[in-house]
Amino acid sequence: PSDITKFDSTNFIPVPSDWQSSTDNAAVRDNASTSGQLKIATIVNRGSGIGTANRTYTGVPVNGDGSGAEATIVINNDAKVKMGESVLVLGCGGVGLSVIKGASLAGAAPVGGYDIEDKTELVNSHGGHNFYDDWMSISHAWDVIIDTVGSSRLFGEAIDKLASGGRYVLVGQPKPDTFLPIKNALSMFDGTGKTIIATQGGQTNPDVDIHRYYRMYNNGLFDYTNLVTHRFELDDVNEGIKILESGTAGRILLDIC
């Protein structure tokens, strides 16, 4: 974006009637409580074609009655994970571990992983805080659930673990003609309303993102090497497939040179 549209008010930004009391407004209201200046504003739906996903724009001019005001705008990817939000990742294979690492880098807390195989060490090494292989042991609700499995049965159980106003992100695709059940549909209206999102690659922009990952790696902020748990020569590809089917691997690489 090149600029921010002005507010149609010469003195005040209109606020809801329950501005002082509603907990839904607390994050914005409290942000301006000391100086009276609004430092952070969240745009819920950025629309399409408005800037590149997962990018920070700085020095953006604000059009208004004054002059010289600028803003910093952060456009997140599909999950829109914010610092301090709780994130549960379903499926801790190569994709799931990458998601856990990304959630950790975004400042999510806690970050949990669920898998039917014991992936405790892998989840912890990628920035996760909790690992679960027993679904019944997951007791609390989560702000964001990222599903890399694509199982309709698991979806039916997991959607009830979503917090009020939470986002459920479908990464793993269900089988064709599969129904995704919502047992307690009324709960989807809790809080500000829950959201189910189907994503294609998380709106990643390789031309931008790979350069960012490279800089983070060079500065010791991002280590991708531990995502690879197994390497095989091309002649041993069948062994690699067996490991992949076992559900115990992260990423598997084939050396073809």
PDB file of all heavy atoms in Angstrom, residues 50-80:
ATOM      1  N   ILE A  50      -3.732  -6.042  -2.163  1.00  0.00           N
ATOM      2  CA  ILE A  50      -3.293  -4.883  -1.379  1.00  0.00           C
ATOM      3  C   ILE A  50      -2.002  -5.256  -0.666  1.00  0.00           C
ATOM      4  O   ILE A  50      -1.997  -5.709   0.463  1.00  0.00           O
ATOM      5  CB  ILE A  50      -4.367  -4.462  -0.351  1.00  0.00           C
ATOM      6  CG1 ILE A  50      -5.725  -4.344  -1.020  1.00  0.00           C
ATOM      7  CG2 ILE A  50      -3.965  -3.160   0.319  1.00  0.00           C
ATOM      8  CD1 ILE A  50      -5.788  -3.290  -2.101  1.00  0.00           C
ATOM      9  N   GLY A  51      -0.896  -5.125  -1.320  1.00  0.00           N
ATOM     10  CA  GLY A  51       0.383  -5.448  -0.704  1.00  0.00           C
ATOM     11  C   GLY A  51       0.677  -6.934  -0.735  1.00  0.00           C
ATOM     12  O   GLY A  51      -0.177  -7.765  -1.041  1.00  0.00           O
ATOM     13  N   THR A  52       1.920  -7.293  -0.424  1.00  0.00           N
ATOM     14  CA  THR A  52       2.381  -8.674  -0.437  1.00  0.00           C
ATOM     15  C   THR A  52       2.208  -9.297   0.935  1.00  0.00           C
ATOM     16  O   THR A  52       2.547  -8.691   1.951  1.00  0.00           O
ATOM     17  CB  THR A  52       3.874  -8.737  -0.835  1.00  0.00           C
ATOM     18  OG1 THR A  52       4.029  -8.143  -2.121  1.00  0.00           O
ATOM     19  CG2 THR A  52       4.366 -10.170  -0.884  1.00  0.00           C
ATOM     20  N   ALA A  53       1.688 -10.523   0.966  1.00  0.00           N
ATOM     21  CA  ALA A  53       1.483 -11.202   2.238  1.00  0.00           C
ATOM     22  C   ALA A  53       2.804 -11.413   2.961  1.00  0.00           C
ATOM     23  O   ALA A  53       3.847 -11.615   2.352  1.00  0.00           O
ATOM     24  CB  ALA A  53       0.794 -12.547   2.009  1.00  0.00           C
ATOM     25  N   ASN A  54       2.736 -11.358   4.296  1.00  0.00           N
ATOM     26  CA  ASN A  54       3.884 -11.612   5.165  1.00  0.00           C
ATOM     27  C   ASN A  54       5.033 -10.633   4.889  1.00  0.00           C
ATOM     28  O   ASN A  54       6.181 -11.015   4.783  1.00  0.00           O
ATOM     29  CB  ASN A  54       4.374 -13.055   5.028  1.00  0.00           C
ATOM     30  CG  ASN A  54       5.033 -13.538   6.306  1.00  0.00           C
ATOM     31  OD1 ASN A  54       4.725 -13.062   7.386  1.00  0.00           O
ATOM     32  ND2 ASN A  54       5.933 -14.483   6.179  1.00  0.00           N
ATOM     33  N   ARG A  55       4.682  -9.381   4.755  1.00  0.00           N
ATOM     34  CA  ARG A  55       5.699  -8.361   4.500  1.00  0.00           C
ATOM     35  C   ARG A  55       5.415  -7.143   5.369  1.00  0.00           C
ATOM     36  O   ARG A  55       4.264  -6.827   5.672  1.00  0.00           O
ATOM     37  CB  ARG A  55       5.692  -7.970   3.025  1.00  0.00           C
ATOM     38  CG  ARG A  55       6.733  -6.895   2.676  1.00  0.00           C
ATOM     39  CD  ARG A  55       6.767  -6.636   1.192  1.00  0.00           C
ATOM     40  NE  ARG A  55       7.654  -5.526   0.873  1.00  0.00           N
ATOM     41  CZ  ARG A  55       7.835  -5.044  -0.349  1.00  0.00           C
ATOM     42  NH1 ARG A  55       7.189  -5.576  -1.361  1.00  0.00           N
ATOM     43  NH2 ARG A  55       8.653  -4.031  -0.560  1.00  0.00           N
ATOM     44  N   THR A  56       6.472  -6.449   5.771  1.00  0.00           N
ATOM     45  CA  THR A  56       6.333  -5.234   6.561  1.00  0.00           C
ATOM     46  C   THR A  56       6.640  -4.018   5.697  1.00  0.00           C
ATOM     47  O   THR A  56       7.686  -3.953   5.043  1.00  0.00           O
ATOM     48  CB  THR A  56       7.283  -5.258   7.770  1.00  0.00           C
ATOM     49  OG1 THR A  56       6.962  -6.368   8.599  1.00  0.00           O
ATOM     50  CG2 THR A  56       7.170  -3.973   8.570  1.00  0.00           C
ATOM     51  N   TYR A  57       5.708  -3.061   5.676  1.00  0.00           N
ATOM     52  CA  TYR A  57       5.902  -1.794   4.961  1.00  0.00           C
ATOM     53  C   TYR A  57       6.166  -0.706   5.994  1.00  0.00           C
ATOM     54  O   TYR A  57       5.405  -0.541   6.945  1.00  0.00           O
ATOM     55  CB  TYR A  57       4.655  -1.435   4.146  1.00  0.00           C
ATOM     56  CG  TYR A  57       4.351  -2.390   3.007  1.00  0.00           C
ATOM     57  CD1 TYR A  57       3.628  -3.545   3.230  1.00  0.00           C
ATOM     58  CD2 TYR A  57       4.777  -2.111   1.719  1.00  0.00           C
ATOM     59  CE1 TYR A  57       3.343  -4.426   2.190  1.00  0.00           C
ATOM     60  CE2 TYR A  57       4.497  -2.974   0.666  1.00  0.00           C
ATOM     61  CZ  TYR A  57       3.777  -4.129   0.911  1.00  0.00           C
ATOM     62  OH  TYR A  57       3.500  -4.986  -0.115  1.00  0.00           O
ATOM     63  N   THR A  58       7.229   0.046   5.825  1.00  0.00           N
ATOM     64  CA  THR A  58       7.563   1.115   6.761  1.00  0.00           C
ATOM     65  C   THR A  58       7.473   2.471   6.063  1.00  0.00           C
ATOM     66  O   THR A  58       7.573   2.574   4.841  1.00  0.00           O
ATOM     67  CB  THR A  58       8.982   0.926   7.331  1.00  0.00           C
ATOM     68  OG1 THR A  58       9.919   0.924   6.253  1.00  0.00           O
ATOM     69  CG2 THR A  58       9.090  -0.382   8.096  1.00  0.00           C
ATOM     70  N   GLY A  59       7.291   3.526   6.883  1.00  0.00           N
ATOM     71  CA  GLY A  59       7.248   4.871   6.351  1.00  0.00           C
ATOM     72  C   GLY A  59       6.066   5.130   5.444  1.00  0.00           C
ATOM     73  O   GLY A  59       6.160   5.927   4.498  1.00  0.00           O
ATOM     74  N   VAL A  60       4.931   4.459   5.715  1.00  0.00           N
ATOM     75  CA  VAL A  60       3.738   4.649   4.880  1.00  0.00           C
ATOM     76  C   VAL A  60       3.051   5.939   5.298  1.00  0.00           C
ATOM     77  O   VAL A  60       2.664   6.094   6.460  1.00  0.00           O
ATOM     78  CB  VAL A  60       2.767   3.462   5.033  1.00  0.00           C
ATOM     79  CG1 VAL A  60       1.527   3.678   4.175  1.00  0.00           C
ATOM     80  CG2 VAL A  60       3.472   2.163   4.664  1.00  0.00           C
ATOM     81  N   PRO A  61       2.863   6.922   4.392  1.00  0.00           N
ATOM     82  CA  PRO A  61       2.228   8.181   4.767  1.00  0.00           C
ATOM     83  C   PRO A  61       0.759   7.995   5.141  1.00  0.00           C
ATOM     84  O   PRO A  61       0.061   7.190   4.546  1.00  0.00           O
ATOM     85  CB  PRO A  61       2.349   9.043   3.511  1.00  0.00           C
ATOM     86  CG  PRO A  61       3.035   8.242   2.492  1.00  0.00           C
ATOM     87  CD  PRO A  61       3.251   6.872   2.992  1.00  0.00           C
ATOM     88  N   VAL A  62       0.328   8.739   6.140  1.00  0.00           N
ATOM     89  CA  VAL A  62      -1.075   8.740   6.554  1.00  0.00           C
ATOM     90  C   VAL A  62      -1.731  10.011   6.036  1.00  0.00           C
ATOM     91  O   VAL A  62      -1.300  11.120   6.355  1.00  0.00           O
ATOM     92  CB  VAL A  62      -1.205   8.672   8.093  1.00  0.00           C
ATOM     93  CG1 VAL A  62      -2.670   8.707   8.502  1.00  0.00           C
ATOM     94  CG2 VAL A  62      -0.535   7.411   8.625  1.00  0.00           C
ATOM     95  N   ASN A  63      -2.756   9.863   5.218  1.00  0.00           N
ATOM     96  CA  ASN A  63      -3.468  11.024   4.675  1.00  0.00           C
ATOM     97  C   ASN A  63      -4.501  11.519   5.676  1.00  0.00           C
ATOM     98  O   ASN A  63      -5.385  10.777   6.076  1.00  0.00           O
ATOM     99  CB  ASN A  63      -4.178  10.657   3.363  1.00  0.00           C
ATOM    100  CG  ASN A  63      -3.199  10.333   2.263  1.00  0.00           C
ATOM    101  OD1 ASN A  63      -2.064  10.770   2.299  1.00  0.00           O
ATOM    102  ND2 ASN A  63      -3.634   9.559   1.288  1.00  0.00           N
ATOM    103  N   GLY A  64      -4.407  12.743   6.101  1.00  0.00           N
ATOM    104  CA  GLY A  64      -5.361  13.285   7.063  1.00  0.00           C
ATOM    105  C   GLY A  64      -5.308  14.793   7.095  1.00  0.00           C
ATOM    106  O   GLY A  64      -4.826  15.439   6.158  1.00  0.00           O
ATOM    107  N   ASP A  65      -5.778  15.357   8.208  1.00  0.00           N
ATOM    108  CA  ASP A  65      -5.817  16.807   8.310  1.00  0.00           C
ATOM    109  C   ASP A  65      -4.464  17.406   8.673  1.00  0.00           C
ATOM    110  O   ASP A  65      -4.222  18.581   8.449  1.00  0.00           O
ATOM    111  CB  ASP A  65      -6.857  17.229   9.356  1.00  0.00           C
ATOM    112  CG  ASP A  65      -8.248  16.791   8.940  1.00  0.00           C
ATOM    113  OD1 ASP A  65      -8.578  16.934   7.754  1.00  0.00           O
ATOM    114  OD2 ASP A  65      -8.983  16.286   9.794  1.00  0.00           O
ATOM    115  N   GLY A  66      -3.582  16.565   9.258  1.00  0.00           N
ATOM    116  CA  GLY A  66      -2.254  17.053   9.598  1.00  0.00           C
ATOM    117  C   GLY A  66      -1.259  16.717   8.503  1.00  0.00           C
ATOM    118  O   GLY A  66      -1.629  16.450   7.363  1.00  0.00           O
ATOM    119  N   SER A  67       0.017  16.737   8.857  1.00  0.00           N
ATOM    120  CA  SER A  67       1.051  16.419   7.871  1.00  0.00           C
ATOM    121  C   SER A  67       2.196  15.698   8.566  1.00  0.00           C
ATOM    122  O   SER A  67       2.426  15.863   9.763  1.00  0.00           O
ATOM    123  CB  SER A  67       1.561  17.689   7.186  1.00  0.00           C
ATOM    124  OG  SER A  67       2.167  18.554   8.137  1.00  0.00           O
ATOM    125  N   GLY A  68       2.913  14.872   7.807  1.00  0.00           N
ATOM    126  CA  GLY A  68       4.115  14.224   8.313  1.00  0.00           C
ATOM    127  C   GLY A  68       3.886  12.921   9.051  1.00  0.00           C
ATOM    128  O   GLY A  68       4.851  12.276   9.475  1.00  0.00           O
ATOM    129  N   ALA A  69       2.636  12.489   9.224  1.00  0.00           N
ATOM    130  CA  ALA A  69       2.372  11.240   9.943  1.00  0.00           C
ATOM    131  C   ALA A  69       2.698  10.046   9.061  1.00  0.00           C
ATOM    132  O   ALA A  69       2.407  10.035   7.865  1.00  0.00           O
ATOM    133  CB  ALA A  69       0.911  11.186  10.383  1.00  0.00           C
ATOM    134  N   GLU A  70       3.326   9.031   9.667  1.00  0.00           N
ATOM    135  CA  GLU A  70       3.664   7.812   8.953  1.00  0.00           C
ATOM    136  C   GLU A  70       3.280   6.602   9.782  1.00  0.00           C
ATOM    137  O   GLU A  70       3.121   6.686  11.002  1.00  0.00           O
ATOM    138  CB  GLU A  70       5.163   7.754   8.638  1.00  0.00           C
ATOM    139  CG  GLU A  70       5.630   8.826   7.665  1.00  0.00           C
ATOM    140  CD  GLU A  70       7.099   8.689   7.328  1.00  0.00           C
ATOM    141  OE1 GLU A  70       7.828   8.029   8.106  1.00  0.00           O
ATOM    142  OE2 GLU A  70       7.530   9.228   6.301  1.00  0.00           O
ATOM    143  N   ALA A  71       3.126   5.459   9.110  1.00  0.00           N
ATOM    144  CA  ALA A  71       2.739   4.229   9.799  1.00  0.00           C
ATOM    145  C   ALA A  71       3.587   3.067   9.300  1.00  0.00           C
ATOM    146  O   ALA A  71       4.181   3.127   8.220  1.00  0.00           O
ATOM    147  CB  ALA A  71       1.254   3.925   9.564  1.00  0.00           C
ATOM    148  N   THR A  72       3.677   2.038  10.128  1.00  0.00           N
ATOM    149  CA  THR A  72       4.278   0.770   9.737  1.00  0.00           C
ATOM    150  C   THR A  72       3.156  -0.254   9.622  1.00  0.00           C
ATOM    151  O   THR A  72       2.353  -0.410  10.544  1.00  0.00           O
ATOM    152  CB  THR A  72       5.313   0.287  10.772  1.00  0.00           C
ATOM    153  OG1 THR A  72       6.380   1.232  10.828  1.00  0.00           O
ATOM    154  CG2 THR A  72       5.863  -1.077  10.403  1.00  0.00           C
ATOM    155  N   ILE A  73       3.088  -0.943   8.494  1.00  0.00           N
ATOM    156  CA  ILE A  73       2.012  -1.905   8.245  1.00  0.00           C
ATOM    157  C   ILE A  73       2.616  -3.286   8.057  1.00  0.00           C
ATOM    158  O   ILE A  73       3.543  -3.471   7.259  1.00  0.00           O
ATOM    159  CB  ILE A  73       1.199  -1.514   6.992  1.00  0.00           C
ATOM    160  CG1 ILE A  73       0.576  -0.130   7.171  1.00  0.00           C
ATOM    161  CG2 ILE A  73       0.117  -2.556   6.703  1.00  0.00           C
ATOM    162  CD1 ILE A  73      -0.182   0.351   5.961  1.00  0.00           C
ATOM    163  N   VAL A  74       2.095  -4.256   8.812  1.00  0.00           N
ATOM    164  CA  VAL A  74       2.513  -5.646   8.680  1.00  0.00           C
ATOM    165  C   VAL A  74       1.363  -6.434   8.077  1.00  0.00           C
ATOM    166  O   VAL A  74       0.256  -6.437   8.611  1.00  0.00           O
ATOM    167  CB  VAL A  74       2.908  -6.253  10.042  1.00  0.00           C
ATOM    168  CG1 VAL A  74       3.330  -7.708   9.860  1.00  0.00           C
ATOM    169  CG2 VAL A  74       4.035  -5.454  10.674  1.00  0.00           C
ATOM    170  N   ILE A  75       1.602  -7.090   6.946  1.00  0.00           N
ATOM    171  CA  ILE A  75       0.596  -7.934   6.316  1.00  0.00           C
ATOM    172  C   ILE A  75       1.004  -9.386   6.539  1.00  0.00           C
ATOM    173  O   ILE A  75       2.057  -9.825   6.067  1.00  0.00           O
ATOM    174  CB  ILE A  75       0.471  -7.639   4.811  1.00  0.00           C
ATOM    175  CG1 ILE A  75       0.074  -6.173   4.595  1.00  0.00           C
ATOM    176  CG2 ILE A  75      -0.534  -8.563   4.151  1.00  0.00           C
ATOM    177  CD1 ILE A  75      -0.026  -5.771   3.149  1.00  0.00           C
ATOM    178  N   ASN A  76       0.182 -10.120   7.284  1.00  0.00           N
ATOM    179  CA  ASN A  76       0.508 -11.494   7.629  1.00  0.00           C
ATOM    180  C   ASN A  76      -0.011 -12.475   6.584  1.00  0.00           C
ATOM    181  O   ASN A  76      -0.859 -12.151   5.764  1.00  0.00           O
ATOM    182  CB  ASN A  76      -0.100 -11.857   8.994  1.00  0.00           C
ATOM    183  CG  ASN A  76       0.574 -11.124  10.122  1.00  0.00           C
ATOM    184  OD1 ASN A  76       1.768 -10.883  10.068  1.00  0.00           O
ATOM    185  ND2 ASN A  76      -0.186 -10.752  11.126  1.00  0.00           N
ATOM    186  N   ASN A  77       0.489 -13.729   6.657  1.00  0.00           N
ATOM    187  CA  ASN A  77      -0.015 -14.795   5.807  1.00  0.00           C
ATOM    188  C   ASN A  77      -1.353 -15.284   6.326  1.00  0.00           C
ATOM    189  O   ASN A  77      -1.921 -14.731   7.264  1.00  0.00           O
ATOM    190  CB  ASN A  77       1.005 -15.937   5.750  1.00  0.00           C
ATOM    191  CG  ASN A  77       2.139 -15.603   4.787  1.00  0.00           C
ATOM    192  OD1 ASN A  77       2.161 -14.567   4.153  1.00  0.00           O
ATOM    193  ND2 ASN A  77       3.090 -16.504   4.683  1.00  0.00           N
ATOM    194  N   ASP A  78      -1.869 -16.379   5.727  1.00  0.00           N
ATOM    195  CA  ASP A  78      -3.241 -16.803   5.989  1.00  0.00           C
ATOM    196  C   ASP A  78      -3.556 -17.025   7.463  1.00  0.00           C
ATOM    197  O   ASP A  78      -4.632 -16.682   7.932  1.00  0.00           O
ATOM    198  CB  ASP A  78      -3.539 -18.087   5.210  1.00  0.00           C
ATOM    199  CG  ASP A  78      -3.824 -17.801   3.746  1.00  0.00           C
ATOM    200  OD1 ASP A  78      -4.070 -16.631   3.411  1.00  0.00           O
ATOM    201  OD2 ASP A  78      -3.804 -18.745   2.939  1.00  0.00           O
ATOM    202  N   ALA A  79      -2.643 -17.635   8.224  1.00  0.00           N
ATOM    203  CA  ALA A  79      -2.939 -17.937   9.624  1.00  0.00           C
ATOM    204  C   ALA A  79      -2.984 -16.678  10.481  1.00  0.00           C
ATOM    205  O   ALA A  79      -3.627 -16.658  11.525  1.00  0.00           O
ATOM    206  CB  ALA A  79      -1.892 -18.910  10.189  1.00  0.00           C
ATOM    207  N   LYS A  80      -2.280 -15.614  10.060  1.00  0.00           N
ATOM    208  CA  LYS A  80      -2.274 -14.335  10.767  1.00  0.00           C
ATOM    209  C   LYS A  80      -1.916 -14.509  12.247  1.00  0.00           C
ATOM    210  O   LYS A  80      -2.538 -13.922  13.130  1.00  0.00           O
ATOM    211  CB  LYS A  80      -3.635 -13.636  10.626  1.00  0.00           C
ATOM    212  CG  LYS A  80      -4.030 -13.328   9.187  1.00  0.00           C
ATOM    213  CD  LYS A  80      -5.397 -12.684   9.116  1.00  0.00           C
ATOM    214  CE  LYS A  80      -5.765 -12.318   7.687  1.00  0.00           C
ATOM    215  NZ  LYS A  80      -5.928 -13.512   6.833  1.00  0.00           N
TER     216      LYS A  80
END
